[in-house]
Amino acid sequence: MKRLLTLLFSCLLITLQAQEKAPPVKVAVIGLTHTHVHWILGRENRGDIEIVGIVEPNKDLAQRYTKQHSYSMDIVFDSMETLIENTQPEAVTAFGTIYDHLEVVEFFAPKGIHVMVEKPLAVSLDHAKKMSALAKKHNIHLLTNYETTWYGSNQKAYDLVHSEKLVGDIRKIVVHDGHRGPKEIGVNDEFLEWLTDPKLNGAGALTDFGCYGANLATWLMKGEKPTSVFAMTATNKPELYPNVDDEATILLQYQKTQVVIQASWNWPISRKDMEVYGVTGQIIADNGSTLRYKLGDDLEEVKLTNLSKEAPRDDPFALLAAVVRGEVALKDTDLTALENNLIAMEILEAAKQSAKSGKVVKLKK
């Protein structure tokens, strides 16, 4: 009887320990000039992360955002060095220019601090390779955050293709991303200043929205590289965007699949949608939660709504916390994973080269 009670007590103790929630991951926000930063600053408290510091030298911007989201200016620092002198984050999220991503990794990786950057991974393939080398050398996680990663519709499309084999082998993928233009939709001056700078952003619409398609295609193709990349860019509104493209179309050719990425600051409406065409059917993800599929001419289209992903894969910062805690192990092909995003950067780099030369760029295996 005594042994039985001891066993039951041990089982109860193990259960209670398992149910005990881990403390929130200490996170610092590096830069506020990317307006996607409102995603983390305005996020509902899920108990998984705690913002312990913000780095932003622009005090006016910092005061506006901290006031908007009820943070104290006491946790705002002028530099990464000052941040580390005052607090010790376990992970950081980069919401400055794309060019700054390398500097963030160079500073935090040697300290063993994990990094999540806003899309795309880097401003160039050269920067991306340096960031990857640092992450691997210092054994940190380096994640890239895309809005489309958290779409239940995209996940369902992937499952229909790969798990349920609903439409057969993929023959074509078409990805549309963009809006009327950053000036037209009224982004703030701090964001617009670098978003339209070819050095700080890498390009215009090609970088800003072409990265989504490169990332999604790499995921759907399970990490396969395209054999070639061809791209056309244009500046259709030079009076607004004299230094960068506002229109980009990127064609990726795989062994048996073609991908069309349409990235634009000229859409009449904001859009992030995707079409997947297989041998026997088509799947169209209209938005983050709605998907339609049709199998052949004689069958009715099926519509699925209210699609979502399960926690912690439903939110960038929930996933970051789970990865840091070792609760989730990313696959190389995952949308946030470093290996996926290195291929995406190779695609973007080739697209820029192709647009400049007017020629098809072959990718090395």
Side-chain angles (χ1 to χ4, degrees):
M1 187 66 179
K2 185 176 181 181
R3 286 183 180 180
L4 179 60
L5 288 173
T6 301
L7 179 61
L8 290 172
F9 179 79
S10 298
C11 291
L12 178 61
L13 184 61
I14 291 171
T15 302
L16 290 173
Q17 288 174 340
Q19 291 177 345
E20 186 179 350
K21 197 168 185 179
V25 172
K26 296 179 180 179
V27 174
V29 178
I30 312 302
L32 297 176
T33 59
H34 196 309
T35 54
H36 286 188
V37 74
H38 294 291
W39 199 343
I40 187 170
L41 295 180
R43 179 177 183 263
E44 179 184 355
N45 184 8
R46 293 169 59 160
D48 47 8
I49 66 167
E50 176 189 2
I51 297 178
V52 296
I54 298 170
V55 174
E56 180 50 64
N58 184 333
K59 284 293 183 285
D60 176 66
L61 179 63
Q63 287 173 346
R64 292 195 334 252
Y65 284 8
T66 52
K67 182 179 180 180
Q68 179 179 348
H69 296 290
S70 301
Y71 286 96
S72 170
M73 282 293 290
D74 292 340
I75 66 168
V76 178
F77 304 98
D78 290 331
S79 66
M80 294 181 285
E81 290 81 4
T82 310
L83 170 80
I84 290 299
E85 289 172 5
N86 288 274
T87 188
Q88 190 63 39
E90 298 170 80
V92 299
T93 59
F95 285 101
T97 77
I98 311 304
Y99 189 88
D100 289 339
H101 288 179
L102 173 59
E103 183 181 5
V104 171
V105 176
E106 285 177 332
F107 184 83
F108 289 104
K111 297 173 176 57
I113 297 172
H114 308 287
V115 180
M116 172 178 270
V117 300
E118 191 60 20
K119 59 83 187 172
L121 172 62
V123 77
S124 67
L125 183 59
D126 177 61
H127 273 208
K129 288 180 177 179
K130 290 177 180 177
M131 292 163 64
S132 174
L134 284 164
K136 291 173 182 177
K137 177 180 178 181
H138 298 289
N139 197 30
I140 68 158
H141 297 292
L142 175 54
L143 284 66
T144 306
N145 177 35
Y146 298 78
E147 179 186 335
T148 47
T149 297
W150 320 107
Y151 284 10
S153 58
N154 287 346
Q155 183 62 56
K156 185 61 177 179
Y158 183 95
D159 292 341
L160 291 175
V161 171
H162 293 297
S163 299
E164 300 184 32
K165 310 293 184 182
L166 187 71
V167 297
D169 293 340
I170 300 173
R171 288 292 178 258
K172 185 184 287 289
I173 300 168
V174 183
V175 184
H176 309 101
D177 286 293
H179 47 48
R180 291 181 293 119
K183 283 192 176 181
E184 290 89 335
I185 67 171
V187 305
N188 63 302
D189 291 341
E190 293 88 355
F191 189 20
L192 186 66
E193 182 179 1
W194 67 259
L195 189 61
T196 56
D197 185 319
K199 177 183 177 181
L200 300 180
N201 192 39
L206 186 149
T207 298
D208 190 26
F209 286 114
C211 62
Y212 288 100
N215 175 245
L216 288 165
T218 302
W219 176 57
L220 283 163
M221 296 301 293
K222 291 192 167 183
E224 180 184 345
K225 283 186 185 181
T227 57
S228 66
V229 178
F230 178 71
M232 294 177 62
T233 59
T235 303
N236 293 333
K237 296 178 284 192
E239 71 282 3
L240 296 180
Y241 309 110
N243 300 316
V244 293
D245 59 275
D246 57 39
E247 191 71 45
T249 300
I250 307 169
L251 301 178
L252 312 180
Q253 185 60 50
Y254 295 79
Q255 186 176 4
K256 294 182 178 180
T257 307
Q258 186 178 87
V259 176
V260 183
I261 300 169
Q262 295 184 322
S264 178
W265 289 348
N266 290 288
W267 296 116
I269 59 172
S270 299
R271 63 187 305 185
K272 287 186 177 73
D273 52 271
M274 179 178 71
E275 304 166 6
V276 182
Y277 299 94
V279 175
T280 60
Q282 65 186 39
I283 302 168
I284 300 175
D286 291 310
N287 52 50
S289 61
T290 303
L291 176 146
R292 295 175 286 125
Y293 68 84
K294 185 175 175 64
L295 307 176
D297 292 331
D298 299 327
L299 297 175
E300 289 188 6
E301 182 178 74
V302 177
K303 185 175 182 179
L304 305 177
T305 59
N306 299 316
L307 297 168
S308 61
K309 300 180 74 171
E310 293 184 359
R313 293 183 180 271
D314 63 330
D315 173 87
F317 315 109
L319 182 63
L320 173 62
V323 169
V324 169
R325 287 282 183 255
E327 297 165 358
V328 170
L330 294 177
K331 298 177 182 177
D332 287 348
T333 53
D334 282 352
L335 290 163
T336 53
L338 179 56
E339 293 304 323
N340 175 308
N341 285 283
L342 284 171
I343 295 173
M345 283 308 307
E346 194 170 348
I347 290 169
L348 292 179
E349 191 82 358
K352 287 188 282 187
Q353 293 173 9
S354 176
K356 185 175 181 179
S357 68
K359 299 178 180 179
V360 173
V361 174
K362 301 287 187 180
L363 295 192
K364 297 179 181 178
K365 291 184 179 181

